[in-house]
Amino acid sequence: MSQLAMYEYQREVVQRALRGENIIVWLPPGAGKTRAAVYVALKHLETTPGAKVVVLVPTVHLVEQHYRKEFFPGLGHAYKVTAVSGDSDEKNFLAATLRDARVLLCTAQILLNGLTCDEEAKRVELSDITLLVLDECHHTQKETPYNKIMRLYLEKKMGGDGALPQVLGLTASPGSGGAKSLERAVDHVLQICANLDCAIVSTQDCTEELHMTVKRPRKTFDIAEKRQEDPFGDHVQLMMRHIHRFMKPPPDLIFKEFGTQEYENDVVTLKKKGVANYDRPLQQCAIHLREYNDALLIHDTLLARDALSSLEDFYAGKETNVIDDTDRFLLNLFKDHRSELTALARDPLSENPKMARLESTLLEHFGPNVKSRGILFSGTRKSTHCLNQWVRANDKMRFAGIEPAVITGSAAMTQADRDDAIRKFRSGSVNLLIATSVAEEGLDIPQCDLVVRYGLLTNEIAQQQASGRARAPDSRYALVARRGGREERREHLNDSLEALTAEAVESVRRLSPGKFREKIAQLQALAASRGKLAEMQILEKNSCYSAAGVQLLCSNCLTPVAQGDHIQLVEKMHYVNVRPEFRNHYYKEGAPLRFGKTFEDWEPGCIIKCKKCNEWGFEMKYRKAALLPNLAIKNFVLQTPGGRTTVKKWKDVPFCVQHFDFAQFCRKHYRDLLDS
């Protein structure tokens, strides 16, 4: 079937791609960018001997959606089309899968793993691919899998090393990069073009058809007034002031307002000072203040009982982990005030006007005999679950026939559960998805006629992507926010940034071909130099200290439990302690973890916790033989010759981590068994 249903504006924007050029297709949500990519792929397969097309997407659900709705129907009649996701066995044999297929759809991380695989038989080369399609290509920046793939591409291009695929990017918005001026926004668009080695194309001759075909949803600002009184929030702040008086914070640290992101940044700095100064009371007070601040942020968005529940979850089990007077003070403070907080959470004065406005927004759209479907976007996994409980417990919403389901990211929900929720939403048995940003990009439900953003502070790309989920005629996009609050201000700013992005793209498009190529070449050379410098800096940072000279301390009780040279890296992913005596420092809790999918060489075990206090990570069984504690570095303090410090990620530790050698580990383990 070489006849695909296409609009003229779709044919217009792919003309340069059909001539073999690298381009970014910039079209609004719902305009059919994926259909345009299928058309380019079809013509490429028809005209290129030995053609291999790889389509990259940022999320697993887009792999299945693009395969089912576009690429298999459009190409499967004549070519083998294969979809590979994190749940597929084929991901471990990507090279063989690509040899067997003509079109391959996968997440960017899977292709990156294939391109960087140490096993030659499993490694994929860019020269194996003739057309590389990157959906949602605005992600091609910083340290994303998209950008790492394109760095490999540019390294080969600049080194004249082998054949390279044609590149086709798809985006609804390259974004402004946080710029507030046209000059900076142009710089950002040019950088995206340089990262992708592409020119950017939008419709010029068929704009009327585009505007007639793609209708933007009606936008409403559903504004709630500020609480007149806030007894629950006031009491939480009173408790925070008690902690401030107890801990005697450093005089050079000026704290921002309680209940703000800026205050959270302050207590993160405070915790680091506590660690660096060997001041456990300061460190612990900072940890608890962050929990109280989180409770205030939850209280601003959800119900007071949700904020209280967050604090109760944090303090659950703390009585068994008391180490010193600081722990006793912090624990007793919560215990002494818990009953008062419980009473205030029930006080009508603590009710959230934003929740009442959200209820009105939903009830304006849904009804007993109304067939609507909507997506409610919220900022965190916790907020989606709290909102789901609230909707289910609300009599008015039940009477209106609202049937909700939650979609969150991979850390808290299996792909099978996400697919099931989306399938029910498509069929109509679920009519309200309550989702984090995981559903913002690409989710195509033609019947969706309502999008609500609630408690979100995001950039113009995320705002435009969310708006684009409302695909049905006469759709509505609603922002529910407090009058004059951060969300309302950000929404207005994003509207301005969206217009600025369009102006920047037009400025880039008007550059002469020679000037454009010159600027792109300069940016690519600069990026290559910066990349080499960054590699040197990482190597230098990771070589600050001998691994044997760095101790790992439990972040809570500060007990020394390991050395840096006890840590090894398994499969470029898992940081494990290989010393058998490390087991003396932890205990296992609960049943083995379940991730909703299986892995080629390992399986998860139980959560592991410090024998005195905190969670550290989980055990993993590697190749059915080695039982290894897999550690999260955020749960440890590093004692270095230069003092104490903390890092969020293993890549930032100031020592080199050795790669795990399974054969060597088995030989040593066997010798140790004989010696014992």
Side-chain angles (χ1 to χ4, degrees):
M1 180 185 78
S2 42
Q3 288 302 314
L4 285 169
M6 297 272 288
Y7 290 102
E8 287 306 311
Y9 67 80
Q10 291 171 312
R11 295 181 187 277
E12 178 194 355
V13 295
V14 299
Q15 287 307 304
R16 291 174 65 178
L18 296 178
R19 295 195 294 267
E21 295 182 46
N22 289 359
I23 67 159
I24 299 168
V25 170
W26 176 47
L27 287 173
K33 293 180 291 296
T34 311
R35 176 63 57 86
V38 173
Y39 183 69
V40 172
L42 176 62
K43 296 304 179 185
H44 182 84
L45 289 161
E46 289 175 346
T47 58
T48 307
K52 296 281 185 179
V53 179
V54 172
V55 182
L56 301 182
V57 296
T59 60
V60 174
H61 81 82
L62 285 181
V63 175
E64 299 302 325
Q65 177 176 288
H66 285 356
Y67 173 82
R68 185 184 67 255
K69 295 192 69 175
E70 293 288 353
F71 281 90
F72 185 76
L75 305 175
H77 67 287
Y79 305 99
K80 182 168 183 180
V81 182
T82 301
V84 178
S85 69
D87 296 335
S88 310
D89 292 335
E90 292 95 334
K91 72 179 185 295
N92 299 314
F93 305 96
L94 197 64
T97 304
L98 183 58
R99 282 194 298 271
D100 189 45
R102 298 295 300 279
V103 181
L104 175 69
L105 291 85
C106 64
T107 58
Q109 186 62 56
I110 285 176
L111 178 61
L112 180 61
N113 292 346
L115 291 169
T116 57
C117 183
D118 293 329
E119 298 180 52
E120 189 172 345
K122 293 184 177 181
R123 191 183 310 136
V124 175
E125 300 292 345
L126 282 168
S127 56
D128 299 334
I129 305 165
T130 58
L131 174 63
L132 182 62
V133 181
L134 298 93
D135 190 27
E136 312 294 356
C137 69
H138 50 270
H139 289 298
T140 313
Q141 53 182 315
K142 300 180 181 177
E143 295 305 308
T144 62
Y146 274 24
N147 211 27
K148 290 178 180 179
I149 289 168
M150 290 309 301
R151 279 184 197 147
L152 296 174
Y153 175 102
L154 290 171
E155 283 175 16
K156 288 185 175 293
K157 178 190 174 185
M158 297 173 82
D161 182 15
L164 289 170
Q166 180 186 350
V167 178
L168 174 64
L170 310 173
T171 185
S173 174
S176 64
K180 303 299 188 292
S181 68
L182 178 59
E183 182 183 3
R184 292 291 182 87
V186 167
D187 289 343
H188 172 75
V189 174
L190 283 169
Q191 187 64 65
I192 293 291
C193 290
N195 293 348
L196 285 156
D197 199 38
C198 285
I200 190 164
V201 176
S202 61
T203 184
Q204 302 299 312
D205 300 330
C206 303
T207 54
E208 185 176 348
E209 181 194 42
L210 175 64
H211 294 149
M212 289 293 293
T213 305
V214 182
K215 302 290 188 182
R216 297 195 68 166
R218 175 174 59 93
K219 185 170 186 175
T220 63
F221 285 80
D222 298 357
I223 302 303
E225 300 301 327
K226 187 177 180 180
R227 285 184 175 99
Q228 294 301 308
E229 295 182 56
D230 186 9
F232 180 88
D234 291 344
H235 200 85
V236 171
Q237 293 190 39
L238 172 68
M239 296 169 72
M240 295 171 77
R241 287 192 288 272
H242 281 317
I243 298 175
H244 273 255
R245 285 194 292 271
F246 174 85
M247 72 178 179
K248 301 180 180 62
D252 61 328
L253 187 57
I254 308 300
F255 289 93
K256 307 299 190 302
E257 182 183 356
F258 292 156
T260 63
Q261 185 62 51
E262 292 76 17
Y263 180 82
E264 181 174 315
N265 296 338
D266 291 339
V267 294
V268 168
T269 301
L270 186 70
K271 179 185 173 185
K272 290 179 179 177
K273 284 180 177 287
V275 169
N277 297 332
Y278 296 52
D279 188 339
R280 186 178 184 274
L282 196 66
Q283 174 195 350
Q284 291 301 308
C285 287
I287 291 170
H288 287 246
L289 283 168
R290 184 170 183 176
E291 293 297 325
Y292 282 106
N293 196 64
D294 283 348
L296 288 175
L297 291 170
I298 292 168
H299 179 52
D300 180 62
T301 304
L302 302 167
L303 301 173
R305 69 166 182 256
D306 297 320
L308 176 58
S309 173
S310 174
L311 289 171
E312 288 174 335
D313 290 344
F314 174 71
Y315 281 99
K318 284 279 189 279
E319 278 191 81
T320 59
N321 297 330
V322 172
I323 293 169
D324 57 20
D325 288 342
T326 299
D327 293 333
R328 274 183 282 276
F329 165 76
L330 294 166
L331 178 61
N332 288 333
L333 177 68
F334 180 71
K335 287 170 65 178
D336 292 346
H337 289 260
R338 184 175 182 176
S339 60
E340 181 71 12
L341 288 173
T342 302
L344 291 172
R346 299 192 187 107
D347 189 327
L349 289 174
S350 294
E351 290 179 0
N352 192 339
K354 287 201 296 189
M355 294 287 279
R357 190 66 189 88
L358 176 61
E359 178 185 83
S360 298
T361 298
L362 294 174
L363 291 177
E364 285 167 13
H365 208 79
F366 289 94
N369 299 310
V370 178
K371 293 192 178 300
S372 284
R373 261 169 261 185
I375 304 176
L376 169 57
F377 286 106
S378 191
T380 65
R381 291 194 298 268
K382 181 176 179 62
S383 65
T384 61
H385 288 287
C386 290
L387 288 167
N388 182 53
Q389 293 169 4
W390 170 70
V391 170
R392 289 186 176 279
N394 187 299
D395 291 337
K396 292 179 182 176
M397 293 200 218
R398 281 206 306 272
F399 179 74
I402 298 178
E403 187 59 44
V406 167
I407 292 187
T408 63
S410 57
M413 191 175 191
T414 67
Q415 186 59 41
D417 288 340
R418 274 193 297 278
D419 290 342
D420 184 56
I422 293 171
R423 188 163 47 250
K424 289 178 178 176
F425 188 61
R426 288 187 193 280
S427 71
S429 59
V430 162
N431 56 13
L432 179 67
L433 283 183
I434 305 175
T436 56
S437 59
V438 71
E440 280 178 348
E441 289 187 329
L443 186 62
D444 183 12
I445 313 290
Q447 300 91 339
C448 181
D449 56 4
L450 174 68
V451 166
V452 181
R453 281 167 57 85
Y454 183 73
L456 282 168
L457 281 172
T458 57
N459 63 20
E460 73 279 12
I461 296 176
Q463 176 180 313
Q464 194 172 355
Q465 292 283 6
S467 171
R469 295 320 103 213
R471 297 286 173 94
D474 302 318
S475 297
R476 176 183 174 191
Y477 167 85
L479 172 78
V480 177
R482 176 168 54 83
R483 186 176 303 282
R486 296 172 301 162
E487 294 96 337
E488 184 186 14
R489 296 197 303 271
R490 182 70 212 198
E491 191 79 11
H492 288 299
L493 174 61
N494 285 342
D495 288 340
S496 300
L497 292 178
E498 185 180 331
L500 182 64
T501 299
E503 194 176 350
V505 170
E506 183 59 22
S507 296
V508 170
R509 196 190 65 78
R510 286 199 303 264
L511 290 172
S512 69
K515 189 67 174 176
F516 177 79
R517 285 194 297 270
E518 178 187 341
K519 286 181 174 291
I520 293 306
Q522 289 173 349
L523 288 170
Q524 289 175 344
L526 182 60
S529 300
R530 285 175 175 166
K532 289 174 183 175
L533 179 61
E535 286 176 10
M536 291 171 59
Q537 289 174 335
I538 291 171
L539 184 62
E540 184 179 341
K541 180 174 65 176
N542 291 155
S543 305
C544 283
Y545 305 111
S546 159
V550 177
Q551 281 190 313
L552 275 68
L553 285 58
C554 173
S555 64
N556 184 59
C557 64
L558 301 180
T559 301
V561 293
Q563 291 178 186
D565 59 340
H566 299 172
I567 308 300
Q568 294 186 7
L569 177 58
V570 177
E571 294 187 349
K572 302 180 182 179
M573 186 184 307
H574 310 287
Y575 289 83
V576 302
N577 191 311
V578 297
R579 294 297 182 94
E581 61 269 23
F582 183 66
R583 295 187 189 127
N584 298 328
H585 295 289
Y586 70 80
Y587 69 94
K588 294 184 275 190
E589 181 177 89
L593 296 173
R594 297 173 63 88
F595 292 138
K597 57 184 176 181
T598 58
F599 306 92
E600 183 182 13
D601 286 327
W602 68 278
E603 57 188 83
C606 303
I607 288 173
I608 60 173
K609 289 189 171 184
C610 171
K611 283 193 172 178
K612 296 181 181 179
C613 51
N614 270 11
E615 181 178 324
W616 285 346
F618 63 90
E619 279 191 333
M620 59 181 284
K621 183 178 284 188
Y622 186 66
R623 295 190 180 177
K624 301 188 183 299
L627 194 62
L628 303 167
N630 187 356
L631 306 177
I633 190 60
K634 67 180 181 180
N635 297 323
F636 296 89
V637 168
L638 301 177
Q639 177 74 62
T640 75
R644 286 182 180 174
T645 187
T646 58
V647 295
K648 290 182 179 179
K649 297 181 179 179
W650 277 105
K651 68 179 180 63
D652 297 321
V653 297
F655 59 89
C656 288
V657 178
Q658 289 186 353
H659 286 271
F660 179 74
D661 186 321
F662 179 65
Q664 185 183 57
F665 176 86
C666 290
R667 285 194 298 270
K668 185 177 187 310
H669 189 66
Y670 181 67
R671 284 198 304 271
D672 291 343
L673 285 174
L674 289 178
D675 292 342
S676 62

